[in-house]
């Protein structure tokens, strides 16, 4: 029983993290006065998990983290920041 609960809790936690990242990217796009597209969200989600997972769910901290790590961003995510002027 305990193993099943722990497995369910892990799935729920990952789902919450993914939705948080989606929210972050939507807010990031809104802050840049542009509607975030699904393509833009796909471009930066791996970088958020790779570079800034410890900042989730703090949107401002994630944005600052991505800016600090701009040199380590994937080309796709870097282009999203370039388009947003960030």
């Amino acid at each position: 029983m305990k193993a099943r609960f722990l497995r369910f809790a892990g799935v729920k936690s990952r789902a919450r993290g993914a939705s948080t990242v989606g929210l972050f990217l939507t807010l990031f796009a809104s802050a840049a006065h542009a509607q975030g597209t699904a393509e833009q969200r796909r471009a930066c989600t791996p970088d958020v998990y790779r570079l800034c997972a410890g900042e989730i769910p703090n949107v401002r901290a994630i944005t600052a983290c991505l800016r600090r790590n701009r040199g380590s961003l994937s080309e796709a995510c870097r282009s999203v920041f370039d388009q947003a002027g960030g």
Side-chain angles (χ1 to χ4, degrees):
M1 181 72 164
K2 185 175 181 179
R4 186 184 315 173
F5 173 76
L6 292 175
R7 202 174 15 210
F8 174 74
V11 169
K12 188 175 180 181
S13 177
R14 283 191 299 269
R16 186 174 62 214
S19 66
T20 299
V21 171
L23 174 63
F24 153 73
L25 293 172
T26 300
L27 292 174
F28 170 75
S30 297
H33 304 292
Q35 179 70 29
T37 66
E39 184 178 324
Q40 290 170 326
R41 289 188 296 273
R42 278 192 304 271
C44 288
T45 297
D47 291 328
V48 171
Y49 280 115
R50 182 171 54 92
L51 300 168
C52 307
E55 306 298 342
I56 296 171
N58 187 332
V59 175
R60 288 183 179 166
I62 292 169
T63 304
C65 175
L66 289 174
R67 286 188 177 128
R68 279 193 314 272
N69 290 289
R70 189 179 188 104
S72 299
L73 295 178
S74 64
E75 284 296 319
C77 187
R78 192 175 304 132
S79 72
V80 170
F81 270 83
D82 291 343
Q83 291 170 1

